[in-house]
Amino acid sequence: MTDAQETAADTSLRTTGGAPPDDVAPAPIPLLEPREGIPPVVASDDALAGVIAAFAAGSGPVAVDAERASGYRYGQRAYLVQLRRDGAGSALVDPVGCPDLSGLGEALHGTEWILHAATQDLPCLREIGMTPTGLFDTELAGRLAGFPRVGLGAMVENVLGYSLEKGHSAVDWSTRPLPEPWLRYAALDVELLIDLRNALEDELDRQNKLEWAQEEFAAIASAPPAPPRQDPWRRTSGMHKVRRRRQMAVVRELWNTRDQIARRRDVSPGKVLGDGAIIEAALALPANTQALTALPGFGPRMGRRQLEQWQAAVDRAKALPDTELPQPGQAVAGPPPPRAWADKDPAAAARLSAARAAVSALAERLHLPQENLMTPDTVRRICWEPPKNPTPETVESALAGYGARHWQIEQVAPLLLRALSQTA
């Protein structure tokens, strides 16, 4: 990290403004340009073989990014993969033309991958055969280093002094052919990722947090895929308005019907039918398509055939016997909402108040977000059901059981032990 970059990083940690004095004009931030131009999109097996050979022969870590078509297509598959490595340059790979990238993944086995917000991209990369054995997450590194803004553009600007092009992050990346401005944007996302990683490693080392970050990165790399969500229809926006079980059944039936259609058409479910329309139908329980048409989201622009399929879903839910209706809520594992603690268990509420205050104060002293120091859920769980005999060993064991990393336990366990003991 240069002196100028170190100053920028330090300033971002210690100031809330950053505006120059009135009589001093801010220095212009140069717009980042691709060093070798925009690489061609790799969409054939022969071209992919060349990329695999080049990246296998490269040196050092590899910068990796992926673009999805969230809001346009069904699911979260990757529609473009960007890579950069010293000795190999940059590559743009089209997973539509090359759906199996396991060969590329094998060529990079044992190489550190650099990703920004790794947990967002790893699932779609895993689907096409790319899984890292080790990684460096520049977004998480920025959080641990105390940067207030950790988006890629903000990090590149604050740490490296360059401005990234904006405006294409939410486009439909399933578009073919991809427009040149989008490809330029995509190539720039990995252009300075290696430089950013090196600068952040220096900053974390300076703050004595590098080992913490390495523990976090190892945990992300070794984490198994997330299990499928149970009853995903319960996450329909506006679900809190639905109280009766029959109405819940309508939400479930409409959600499942929409999901089947969206999957078949490969479009985002929201483009098939909005969450708001599902909730309105559940609350109204329309008797026929005429009544359905009067509801928001089912207006006259919707074709008769579509209205009939939605009404059929409503009718199926209305015809269910009571024994097949969904229960009011899922069984919640863990403690109740904290707002209910004072009435249910005043001692637990006192423990939580003391623990939260202590963890928050420590996070502020360490210049990192409280949720990265220890997840709020873990703090709640140990305060709701503390070890029967709170000792350093039992508290540390409980935290480890909830998935806390060694560095987190080392920092937070003494505070939690004190909070549990003071309110015992």
Side-chain angles (χ1 to χ4, degrees):
M1 182 183 286
T2 66
D3 290 342
Q5 291 159 0
E6 198 163 66
T7 300
D10 288 346
T11 300
S12 72
L13 295 178
R14 299 193 183 108
T15 66
T16 55
D22 293 339
D23 58 342
V24 178
I29 300 173
L31 189 66
L32 184 62
E33 299 285 345
R35 278 172 272 194
E36 300 104 12
I38 303 172
V41 177
V42 174
S44 69
D45 291 342
D46 288 345
L48 178 61
V51 168
I52 292 173
F55 275 79
S59 61
V62 58
V64 183
D65 190 27
E67 304 295 347
R68 299 176 298 279
S70 304
Y72 297 93
R73 296 288 182 175
Y74 186 87
Q76 294 295 315
R77 67 170 291 187
Y79 282 95
L80 189 70
V81 176
Q82 308 100 281
L83 306 101
R84 185 174 181 85
R85 192 179 191 190
D86 288 345
S90 294
L92 301 178
V93 182
D94 178 5
V96 177
C98 302
D100 181 7
L101 298 186
S102 57
L104 181 56
E106 290 168 8
L108 298 172
H109 184 81
T111 300
E112 179 189 86
W113 292 22
I114 309 168
L115 300 104
H116 193 81
T119 54
Q120 295 182 18
D121 287 340
L122 287 178
C124 70
L125 289 169
R126 189 180 289 116
E127 285 182 0
I128 52 178
M130 296 184 66
T131 303
T133 51
L135 61 84
F136 189 107
D137 186 333
T138 50
E139 193 254 7
L140 181 52
R143 290 181 182 276
L144 295 176
F147 285 87
R149 295 188 304 140
V150 293
L152 181 58
M155 293 296 293
V156 167
E157 187 172 315
N158 288 336
V159 178
L160 301 177
Y162 285 95
S163 176
L164 286 178
E165 289 187 9
K166 301 178 178 68
H168 301 303
S169 60
V171 299
D172 181 3
W173 287 96
S174 68
T175 301
R176 292 297 182 272
L178 286 164
E180 184 174 317
W182 299 11
L183 296 175
R184 176 189 178 87
Y185 165 91
L188 290 173
D189 270 359
V190 292
E191 184 80 14
L192 289 182
L193 214 49
I194 297 172
D195 303 81
L196 180 61
R197 173 242 183 266
N198 293 338
L200 288 171
E201 182 179 61
D202 289 345
E203 178 62 22
L204 289 167
D205 191 39
R206 187 184 70 79
Q207 296 185 26
N208 296 317
K209 296 177 181 176
L210 184 55
E211 289 187 5
W212 301 359
Q214 289 168 342
E215 277 194 62
E216 294 296 308
F217 302 156
I220 294 172
S222 62
R229 282 179 176 153
Q230 191 175 18
D231 292 346
W233 59 270
R234 292 183 184 272
R235 298 175 64 87
T236 305
S237 180
M239 191 69 193
H240 62 282
K241 301 176 186 176
V242 180
R243 305 289 184 185
R244 290 156 48 195
R245 294 175 63 200
R246 184 70 59 184
Q247 294 172 329
M248 291 179 186
V250 173
V251 173
R252 181 177 64 185
E253 196 63 38
L254 285 172
W255 192 98
N256 287 333
T257 301
R258 178 183 71 173
D259 192 67
Q260 292 166 7
I261 295 169
R263 185 190 296 270
R264 186 177 69 247
R265 291 169 47 190
D266 190 20
V267 296
S268 168
K271 290 187 175 296
V272 176
L273 186 69
D275 279 10
I278 291 177
I279 298 300
E280 291 291 339
L283 295 175
L285 297 175
N288 49 46
T289 54
Q290 184 176 355
L292 184 67
T293 307
L295 299 177
F298 298 94
R301 291 186 179 181
M302 186 173 285
R304 192 182 83 176
R305 203 167 160 190
Q306 288 177 293
L307 287 168
E308 287 175 350
Q309 75 181 358
W310 300 127
Q311 185 61 45
V314 172
D315 292 342
R316 286 195 297 272
K318 290 166 68 175
L320 286 174
D322 290 350
T323 54
E324 294 182 24
L325 296 178
Q327 294 302 314
Q330 293 172 297
V332 179
R339 62 180 177 273
W341 288 29
D343 292 331
K344 290 178 177 291
D345 190 338
R351 290 193 293 269
L352 182 62
S353 178
R356 278 175 162 175
V359 173
S360 177
L362 178 58
E364 189 172 342
R365 289 197 301 275
L366 294 174
H367 298 292
L368 51 78
Q370 183 174 334
E371 62 269 21
N372 291 111
L373 178 59
M374 186 63 68
T375 66
D377 181 66
T378 297
V379 174
R380 286 194 295 269
R381 286 173 182 271
I382 200 167
C383 288
W384 182 252
E385 290 187 283
K388 292 182 179 179
N389 178 29
T391 65
E393 293 75 22
T394 58
V395 171
E396 290 173 8
S397 177
L399 290 174
Y402 292 131
R405 264 71 72 192
H406 175 74
W407 75 270
Q408 295 175 314
I409 295 171
E410 190 176 59
Q411 294 293 323
V412 174
L415 304 180
L416 294 181
L417 177 61
R418 195 174 305 126
L420 298 178
S421 301
Q422 288 175 349
T423 56

